[in-house]
PDB file of all heavy atoms in Angstrom:
ATOM      1  N   VAL A   1      74.409  -6.199  95.836  1.00  0.00           N
ATOM      2  CA  VAL A   1      75.142  -6.279  94.539  1.00  0.00           C
ATOM      3  C   VAL A   1      75.911  -5.004  94.328  1.00  0.00           C
ATOM      4  O   VAL A   1      75.354  -3.956  94.649  1.00  0.00           O
ATOM      5  CB  VAL A   1      74.115  -6.569  93.424  1.00  0.00           C
ATOM      6  CG1 VAL A   1      74.848  -6.619  92.085  1.00  0.00           C
ATOM      7  CG2 VAL A   1      73.332  -7.796  93.556  1.00  0.00           C
ATOM      8  N   ARG A   2      77.077  -5.141  93.832  1.00  0.00           N
ATOM      9  CA  ARG A   2      77.863  -3.897  93.437  1.00  0.00           C
ATOM     10  C   ARG A   2      78.533  -4.208  92.112  1.00  0.00           C
ATOM     11  O   ARG A   2      78.753  -5.344  91.655  1.00  0.00           O
ATOM     12  CB  ARG A   2      78.927  -3.590  94.522  1.00  0.00           C
ATOM     13  CG  ARG A   2      80.148  -4.567  94.431  1.00  0.00           C
ATOM     14  CD  ARG A   2      81.380  -3.977  95.113  1.00  0.00           C
ATOM     15  NE  ARG A   2      81.883  -2.742  94.543  1.00  0.00           N
ATOM     16  CZ  ARG A   2      82.784  -2.793  93.580  1.00  0.00           C
ATOM     17  NH1 ARG A   2      83.215  -3.931  93.024  1.00  0.00           N
ATOM     18  NH2 ARG A   2      83.152  -1.643  93.000  1.00  0.00           N
ATOM     19  N   SER A   3      78.756  -3.029  91.438  1.00  0.00           N
ATOM     20  CA  SER A   3      79.506  -3.129  90.199  1.00  0.00           C
ATOM     21  C   SER A   3      80.035  -1.708  89.843  1.00  0.00           C
ATOM     22  O   SER A   3      79.554  -0.735  90.403  1.00  0.00           O
ATOM     23  CB  SER A   3      78.693  -3.621  89.017  1.00  0.00           C
ATOM     24  OG  SER A   3      79.412  -3.814  87.820  1.00  0.00           O
ATOM     25  N   LEU A   4      80.959  -1.671  88.979  1.00  0.00           N
ATOM     26  CA  LEU A   4      81.457  -0.445  88.493  1.00  0.00           C
ATOM     27  C   LEU A   4      80.515   0.011  87.397  1.00  0.00           C
ATOM     28  O   LEU A   4      80.083   1.176  87.337  1.00  0.00           O
ATOM     29  CB  LEU A   4      82.912  -0.523  87.924  1.00  0.00           C
ATOM     30  CG  LEU A   4      83.567   0.773  87.403  1.00  0.00           C
ATOM     31  CD1 LEU A   4      83.616   1.785  88.496  1.00  0.00           C
ATOM     32  CD2 LEU A   4      84.941   0.429  86.895  1.00  0.00           C
ATOM     33  N   VAL A   5      80.198  -0.883  86.465  1.00  0.00           N
ATOM     34  CA  VAL A   5      79.273  -0.580  85.381  1.00  0.00           C
ATOM     35  C   VAL A   5      78.264  -1.756  85.270  1.00  0.00           C
ATOM     36  O   VAL A   5      78.690  -2.919  85.294  1.00  0.00           O
ATOM     37  CB  VAL A   5      80.013  -0.463  84.029  1.00  0.00           C
ATOM     38  CG1 VAL A   5      79.030  -0.271  82.895  1.00  0.00           C
ATOM     39  CG2 VAL A   5      80.966   0.748  84.097  1.00  0.00           C
ATOM     40  N   TYR A   6      77.030  -1.452  85.131  1.00  0.00           N
ATOM     41  CA  TYR A   6      76.005  -2.468  84.933  1.00  0.00           C
ATOM     42  C   TYR A   6      75.533  -2.432  83.491  1.00  0.00           C
ATOM     43  O   TYR A   6      75.075  -1.417  82.932  1.00  0.00           O
ATOM     44  CB  TYR A   6      74.759  -2.172  85.839  1.00  0.00           C
ATOM     45  CG  TYR A   6      74.942  -2.384  87.286  1.00  0.00           C
ATOM     46  CD1 TYR A   6      75.297  -1.381  88.122  1.00  0.00           C
ATOM     47  CD2 TYR A   6      74.756  -3.596  87.831  1.00  0.00           C
ATOM     48  CE1 TYR A   6      75.491  -1.492  89.486  1.00  0.00           C
ATOM     49  CE2 TYR A   6      75.002  -3.842  89.218  1.00  0.00           C
ATOM     50  CZ  TYR A   6      75.275  -2.797  90.014  1.00  0.00           C
ATOM     51  OH  TYR A   6      75.438  -2.940  91.370  1.00  0.00           O
ATOM     52  N   THR A   7      75.813  -3.574  82.764  1.00  0.00           N
ATOM     53  CA  THR A   7      75.194  -3.761  81.478  1.00  0.00           C
ATOM     54  C   THR A   7      73.960  -4.657  81.714  1.00  0.00           C
ATOM     55  O   THR A   7      73.487  -4.950  82.807  1.00  0.00           O
ATOM     56  CB  THR A   7      76.198  -4.433  80.483  1.00  0.00           C
ATOM     57  OG1 THR A   7      76.715  -5.636  81.070  1.00  0.00           O
ATOM     58  CG2 THR A   7      77.309  -3.499  80.192  1.00  0.00           C
ATOM     59  N   ASP A   8      73.327  -5.056  80.607  1.00  0.00           N
ATOM     60  CA  ASP A   8      71.960  -5.688  80.680  1.00  0.00           C
ATOM     61  C   ASP A   8      71.952  -6.885  81.623  1.00  0.00           C
ATOM     62  O   ASP A   8      71.035  -6.987  82.470  1.00  0.00           O
ATOM     63  CB  ASP A   8      71.561  -6.167  79.258  1.00  0.00           C
ATOM     64  CG  ASP A   8      71.411  -5.061  78.308  1.00  0.00           C
ATOM     65  OD1 ASP A   8      71.846  -3.941  78.580  1.00  0.00           O
ATOM     66  OD2 ASP A   8      70.740  -5.288  77.243  1.00  0.00           O
ATOM     67  N   ASP A   9      72.941  -7.738  81.522  1.00  0.00           N
ATOM     68  CA  ASP A   9      72.972  -9.003  82.276  1.00  0.00           C
ATOM     69  C   ASP A   9      73.112  -8.701  83.782  1.00  0.00           C
ATOM     70  O   ASP A   9      72.441  -9.260  84.586  1.00  0.00           O
ATOM     71  CB  ASP A   9      74.096  -9.944  81.782  1.00  0.00           C
ATOM     72  CG  ASP A   9      74.047 -10.124  80.305  1.00  0.00           C
ATOM     73  OD1 ASP A   9      72.892 -10.029  79.757  1.00  0.00           O
ATOM     74  OD2 ASP A   9      75.056 -10.395  79.695  1.00  0.00           O
ATOM     75  N   ALA A  10      74.078  -7.834  84.043  1.00  0.00           N
ATOM     76  CA  ALA A  10      74.298  -7.437  85.477  1.00  0.00           C
ATOM     77  C   ALA A  10      73.094  -6.688  86.029  1.00  0.00           C
ATOM     78  O   ALA A  10      72.724  -6.850  87.210  1.00  0.00           O
ATOM     79  CB  ALA A  10      75.585  -6.621  85.587  1.00  0.00           C
ATOM     80  N   MET A  11      72.465  -5.850  85.217  1.00  0.00           N
ATOM     81  CA  MET A  11      71.319  -5.107  85.754  1.00  0.00           C
ATOM     82  C   MET A  11      70.145  -6.057  86.006  1.00  0.00           C
ATOM     83  O   MET A  11      69.391  -5.821  86.924  1.00  0.00           O
ATOM     84  CB  MET A  11      70.903  -4.100  84.662  1.00  0.00           C
ATOM     85  CG  MET A  11      69.856  -3.135  85.120  1.00  0.00           C
ATOM     86  SD  MET A  11      70.393  -2.014  86.450  1.00  0.00           S
ATOM     87  CE  MET A  11      69.319  -2.520  87.814  1.00  0.00           C
ATOM     88  N   GLN A  12      70.046  -7.126  85.243  1.00  0.00           N
ATOM     89  CA  GLN A  12      68.981  -8.111  85.456  1.00  0.00           C
ATOM     90  C   GLN A  12      69.144  -8.735  86.832  1.00  0.00           C
ATOM     91  O   GLN A  12      68.165  -9.055  87.522  1.00  0.00           O
ATOM     92  CB  GLN A  12      68.944  -9.168  84.394  1.00  0.00           C
ATOM     93  CG  GLN A  12      67.694 -10.016  84.369  1.00  0.00           C
ATOM     94  CD  GLN A  12      67.678 -10.971  83.121  1.00  0.00           C
ATOM     95  OE1 GLN A  12      68.482 -10.803  82.195  1.00  0.00           O
ATOM     96  NE2 GLN A  12      66.714 -11.906  83.184  1.00  0.00           N
ATOM     97  N   LEU A  13      70.433  -8.981  87.197  1.00  0.00           N
ATOM     98  CA  LEU A  13      70.659  -9.552  88.506  1.00  0.00           C
ATOM     99  C   LEU A  13      70.495  -8.475  89.619  1.00  0.00           C
ATOM    100  O   LEU A  13      69.830  -8.712  90.670  1.00  0.00           O
ATOM    101  CB  LEU A  13      72.051 -10.033  88.630  1.00  0.00           C
ATOM    102  CG  LEU A  13      72.408 -11.299  87.771  1.00  0.00           C
ATOM    103  CD1 LEU A  13      73.864 -11.711  88.002  1.00  0.00           C
ATOM    104  CD2 LEU A  13      71.497 -12.498  88.114  1.00  0.00           C
ATOM    105  N   ALA A  14      70.953  -7.265  89.375  1.00  0.00           N
ATOM    106  CA  ALA A  14      70.876  -6.250  90.340  1.00  0.00           C
ATOM    107  C   ALA A  14      69.427  -5.832  90.695  1.00  0.00           C
ATOM    108  O   ALA A  14      69.129  -5.442  91.811  1.00  0.00           O
ATOM    109  CB  ALA A  14      71.599  -4.938  89.944  1.00  0.00           C
ATOM    110  N   ALA A  15      68.524  -6.041  89.741  1.00  0.00           N
ATOM    111  CA  ALA A  15      67.119  -5.709  89.927  1.00  0.00           C
ATOM    112  C   ALA A  15      66.540  -6.592  91.096  1.00  0.00           C
ATOM    113  O   ALA A  15      65.593  -6.106  91.807  1.00  0.00           O
ATOM    114  CB  ALA A  15      66.313  -5.980  88.696  1.00  0.00           C
ATOM    115  N   HIS A  16      67.131  -7.782  91.395  1.00  0.00           N
ATOM    116  CA  HIS A  16      66.590  -8.662  92.351  1.00  0.00           C
ATOM    117  C   HIS A  16      67.254  -8.439  93.707  1.00  0.00           C
ATOM    118  O   HIS A  16      66.990  -9.103  94.728  1.00  0.00           O
ATOM    119  CB  HIS A  16      66.838 -10.126  91.923  1.00  0.00           C
ATOM    120  CG  HIS A  16      66.037 -10.539  90.750  1.00  0.00           C
ATOM    121  ND1 HIS A  16      64.753 -11.076  90.834  1.00  0.00           N
ATOM    122  CD2 HIS A  16      66.281 -10.479  89.432  1.00  0.00           C
ATOM    123  CE1 HIS A  16      64.312 -11.353  89.688  1.00  0.00           C
ATOM    124  NE2 HIS A  16      65.237 -11.009  88.778  1.00  0.00           N
ATOM    125  N   ALA A  17      68.181  -7.478  93.785  1.00  0.00           N
ATOM    126  CA  ALA A  17      68.878  -7.176  95.071  1.00  0.00           C
ATOM    127  C   ALA A  17      68.138  -6.262  95.946  1.00  0.00           C
ATOM    128  O   ALA A  17      67.328  -5.461  95.487  1.00  0.00           O
ATOM    129  CB  ALA A  17      70.240  -6.595  94.729  1.00  0.00           C
ATOM    130  N   SER A  18      68.298  -6.389  97.245  1.00  0.00           N
ATOM    131  CA  SER A  18      67.712  -5.486  98.224  1.00  0.00           C
ATOM    132  C   SER A  18      68.493  -4.167  98.263  1.00  0.00           C
ATOM    133  O   SER A  18      68.024  -3.103  98.509  1.00  0.00           O
ATOM    134  CB  SER A  18      67.693  -6.108  99.623  1.00  0.00           C
ATOM    135  OG  SER A  18      68.971  -6.579 100.051  1.00  0.00           O
ATOM    136  N   GLU A  19      69.822  -4.236  97.882  1.00  0.00           N
ATOM    137  CA  GLU A  19      70.617  -3.096  97.766  1.00  0.00           C
ATOM    138  C   GLU A  19      71.542  -3.237  96.585  1.00  0.00           C
ATOM    139  O   GLU A  19      72.323  -4.166  96.509  1.00  0.00           O
ATOM    140  CB  GLU A  19      71.510  -2.789  99.066  1.00  0.00           C
ATOM    141  CG  GLU A  19      70.757  -2.294 100.263  1.00  0.00           C
ATOM    142  CD  GLU A  19      71.661  -1.983 101.401  1.00  0.00           C
ATOM    143  OE1 GLU A  19      72.881  -1.599 101.109  1.00  0.00           O
ATOM    144  OE2 GLU A  19      71.279  -2.082 102.542  1.00  0.00           O
ATOM    145  N   ALA A  20      71.448  -2.347  95.564  1.00  0.00           N
ATOM    146  CA  ALA A  20      72.323  -2.365  94.464  1.00  0.00           C
ATOM    147  C   ALA A  20      73.235  -1.096  94.507  1.00  0.00           C
ATOM    148  O   ALA A  20      72.724   0.000  94.613  1.00  0.00           O
ATOM    149  CB  ALA A  20      71.470  -2.288  93.139  1.00  0.00           C
ATOM    150  N   TRP A  21      74.494  -1.340  94.465  1.00  0.00           N
ATOM    151  CA  TRP A  21      75.462  -0.285  94.549  1.00  0.00           C
ATOM    152  C   TRP A  21      76.211  -0.085  93.275  1.00  0.00           C
ATOM    153  O   TRP A  21      76.524  -1.035  92.573  1.00  0.00           O
ATOM    154  CB  TRP A  21      76.499  -0.600  95.698  1.00  0.00           C
ATOM    155  CG  TRP A  21      76.044  -0.441  97.083  1.00  0.00           C
ATOM    156  CD1 TRP A  21      74.974  -1.114  97.643  1.00  0.00           C
ATOM    157  CD2 TRP A  21      76.615   0.279  98.124  1.00  0.00           C
ATOM    158  NE1 TRP A  21      74.896  -0.835  98.959  1.00  0.00           N
ATOM    159  CE2 TRP A  21      75.867   0.078  99.275  1.00  0.00           C
ATOM    160  CE3 TRP A  21      77.748   1.138  98.210  1.00  0.00           C
ATOM    161  CZ2 TRP A  21      76.195   0.682 100.496  1.00  0.00           C
ATOM    162  CZ3 TRP A  21      78.060   1.758  99.365  1.00  0.00           C
ATOM    163  CH2 TRP A  21      77.274   1.531 100.527  1.00  0.00           C
ATOM    164  N   VAL A  22      76.576   1.112  92.988  1.00  0.00           N
ATOM    165  CA  VAL A  22      77.385   1.453  91.812  1.00  0.00           C
ATOM    166  C   VAL A  22      78.558   2.338  92.217  1.00  0.00           C
ATOM    167  O   VAL A  22      78.407   3.210  93.070  1.00  0.00           O
ATOM    168  CB  VAL A  22      76.536   2.114  90.682  1.00  0.00           C
ATOM    169  CG1 VAL A  22      76.075   3.499  91.121  1.00  0.00           C
ATOM    170  CG2 VAL A  22      77.335   2.206  89.412  1.00  0.00           C
ATOM    171  N   ASP A  23      79.724   2.089  91.581  1.00  0.00           N
ATOM    172  CA  ASP A  23      80.924   2.880  91.954  1.00  0.00           C
ATOM    173  C   ASP A  23      80.749   4.371  91.459  1.00  0.00           C
ATOM    174  O   ASP A  23      80.081   4.560  90.421  1.00  0.00           O
ATOM    175  CB  ASP A  23      82.143   2.224  91.231  1.00  0.00           C
ATOM    176  CG  ASP A  23      83.451   2.822  91.792  1.00  0.00           C
ATOM    177  OD1 ASP A  23      83.878   3.839  91.225  1.00  0.00           O
ATOM    178  OD2 ASP A  23      83.957   2.227  92.700  1.00  0.00           O
ATOM    179  N   PRO A  24      81.270   5.308  92.198  1.00  0.00           N
ATOM    180  CA  PRO A  24      81.133   6.687  91.743  1.00  0.00           C
ATOM    181  C   PRO A  24      81.699   6.956  90.381  1.00  0.00           C
ATOM    182  O   PRO A  24      81.308   7.881  89.650  1.00  0.00           O
ATOM    183  CB  PRO A  24      82.016   7.460  92.786  1.00  0.00           C
ATOM    184  CG  PRO A  24      81.987   6.570  94.045  1.00  0.00           C
ATOM    185  CD  PRO A  24      81.999   5.172  93.478  1.00  0.00           C
ATOM    186  N   MET A  25      82.608   6.108  89.878  1.00  0.00           N
ATOM    187  CA  MET A  25      83.192   6.294  88.566  1.00  0.00           C
ATOM    188  C   MET A  25      82.514   5.457  87.509  1.00  0.00           C
ATOM    189  O   MET A  25      82.841   5.483  86.310  1.00  0.00           O
ATOM    190  CB  MET A  25      84.671   5.852  88.576  1.00  0.00           C
ATOM    191  CG  MET A  25      85.587   6.709  89.456  1.00  0.00           C
ATOM    192  SD  MET A  25      85.690   8.374  88.908  1.00  0.00           S
ATOM    193  CE  MET A  25      86.613   8.079  87.412  1.00  0.00           C
ATOM    194  N   GLY A  26      81.393   4.823  87.857  1.00  0.00           N
ATOM    195  CA  GLY A  26      80.619   3.979  86.963  1.00  0.00           C
ATOM    196  C   GLY A  26      79.286   4.433  86.582  1.00  0.00           C
ATOM    197  O   GLY A  26      79.032   5.638  86.567  1.00  0.00           O
ATOM    198  N   GLY A  27      78.402   3.482  86.202  1.00  0.00           N
ATOM    199  CA  GLY A  27      77.091   3.837  85.814  1.00  0.00           C
ATOM    200  C   GLY A  27      76.364   2.646  85.237  1.00  0.00           C
ATOM    201  O   GLY A  27      76.751   1.456  85.493  1.00  0.00           O
ATOM    202  N   VAL A  28      75.342   2.882  84.424  1.00  0.00           N
ATOM    203  CA  VAL A  28      74.512   1.790  83.840  1.00  0.00           C
ATOM    204  C   VAL A  28      74.443   2.072  82.349  1.00  0.00           C
ATOM    205  O   VAL A  28      74.243   3.114  81.872  1.00  0.00           O
ATOM    206  CB  VAL A  28      73.082   1.765  84.446  1.00  0.00           C
ATOM    207  CG1 VAL A  28      72.269   0.713  83.761  1.00  0.00           C
ATOM    208  CG2 VAL A  28      73.211   1.471  85.954  1.00  0.00           C
ATOM    209  N   ALA A  29      74.640   1.008  81.565  1.00  0.00           N
ATOM    210  CA  ALA A  29      74.550   1.020  80.094  1.00  0.00           C
ATOM    211  C   ALA A  29      73.767  -0.073  79.592  1.00  0.00           C
ATOM    212  O   ALA A  29      74.173  -1.209  79.576  1.00  0.00           O
ATOM    213  CB  ALA A  29      75.941   1.062  79.449  1.00  0.00           C
ATOM    214  N   LEU A  30      72.454   0.210  79.271  1.00  0.00           N
ATOM    215  CA  LEU A  30      71.475  -0.811  78.773  1.00  0.00           C
ATOM    216  C   LEU A  30      71.454  -0.740  77.279  1.00  0.00           C
ATOM    217  O   LEU A  30      71.106   0.315  76.697  1.00  0.00           O
ATOM    218  CB  LEU A  30      70.107  -0.591  79.408  1.00  0.00           C
ATOM    219  CG  LEU A  30      70.117  -0.558  80.960  1.00  0.00           C
ATOM    220  CD1 LEU A  30      68.717  -0.354  81.462  1.00  0.00           C
ATOM    221  CD2 LEU A  30      70.722  -1.833  81.501  1.00  0.00           C
ATOM    222  N   THR A  31      71.698  -1.809  76.626  1.00  0.00           N
ATOM    223  CA  THR A  31      71.730  -1.828  75.164  1.00  0.00           C
ATOM    224  C   THR A  31      70.613  -2.742  74.491  1.00  0.00           C
ATOM    225  O   THR A  31      70.313  -2.422  73.363  1.00  0.00           O
ATOM    226  CB  THR A  31      73.090  -2.422  74.653  1.00  0.00           C
ATOM    227  OG1 THR A  31      73.231  -3.811  75.159  1.00  0.00           O
ATOM    228  CG2 THR A  31      74.278  -1.596  75.182  1.00  0.00           C
ATOM    229  N   GLY A  32      70.170  -3.675  75.209  1.00  0.00           N
ATOM    230  CA  GLY A  32      69.157  -4.601  74.629  1.00  0.00           C
ATOM    231  C   GLY A  32      69.770  -5.613  73.735  1.00  0.00           C
ATOM    232  O   GLY A  32      70.903  -5.485  73.353  1.00  0.00           O
ATOM    233  N   PRO A  33      69.006  -6.660  73.345  1.00  0.00           N
ATOM    234  CA  PRO A  33      69.542  -7.681  72.446  1.00  0.00           C
ATOM    235  C   PRO A  33      69.775  -7.186  71.075  1.00  0.00           C
ATOM    236  O   PRO A  33      69.206  -6.218  70.571  1.00  0.00           O
ATOM    237  CB  PRO A  33      68.502  -8.740  72.536  1.00  0.00           C
ATOM    238  CG  PRO A  33      67.213  -8.104  72.781  1.00  0.00           C
ATOM    239  CD  PRO A  33      67.548  -6.878  73.671  1.00  0.00           C
ATOM    240  N   GLY A  34      70.690  -7.826  70.383  1.00  0.00           N
ATOM    241  CA  GLY A  34      70.931  -7.457  68.988  1.00  0.00           C
ATOM    242  C   GLY A  34      72.434  -7.274  68.839  1.00  0.00           C
ATOM    243  O   GLY A  34      73.228  -7.561  69.663  1.00  0.00           O
ATOM    244  N   GLY A  35      72.815  -6.819  67.626  1.00  0.00           N
ATOM    245  CA  GLY A  35      74.252  -6.630  67.423  1.00  0.00           C
ATOM    246  C   GLY A  35      74.527  -6.509  65.908  1.00  0.00           C
ATOM    247  O   GLY A  35      73.576  -6.352  65.140  1.00  0.00           O
TER     248      GLY A  35
END
């Protein structure tokens, strides 16, 4: 799995990958449910 930025939904998928890649210009932003 690859992405530039992982939010909650993408991170949930990436957790199941054997290899999760992130772009050097990206990162992870976990917010949780709500709004």
Side-chain angles (χ1 to χ4, degrees):
V1 176
R2 74 163 297 273
S3 185
L4 184 59
V5 176
Y6 290 95
T7 53
D8 298 15
D9 309 332
M11 190 65 241
Q12 192 173 352
L13 292 181
H16 293 271
S18 53
E19 287 186 28
W21 286 57
V22 66
D23 192 274
M25 296 295 292
V28 176
L30 303 181
T31 61

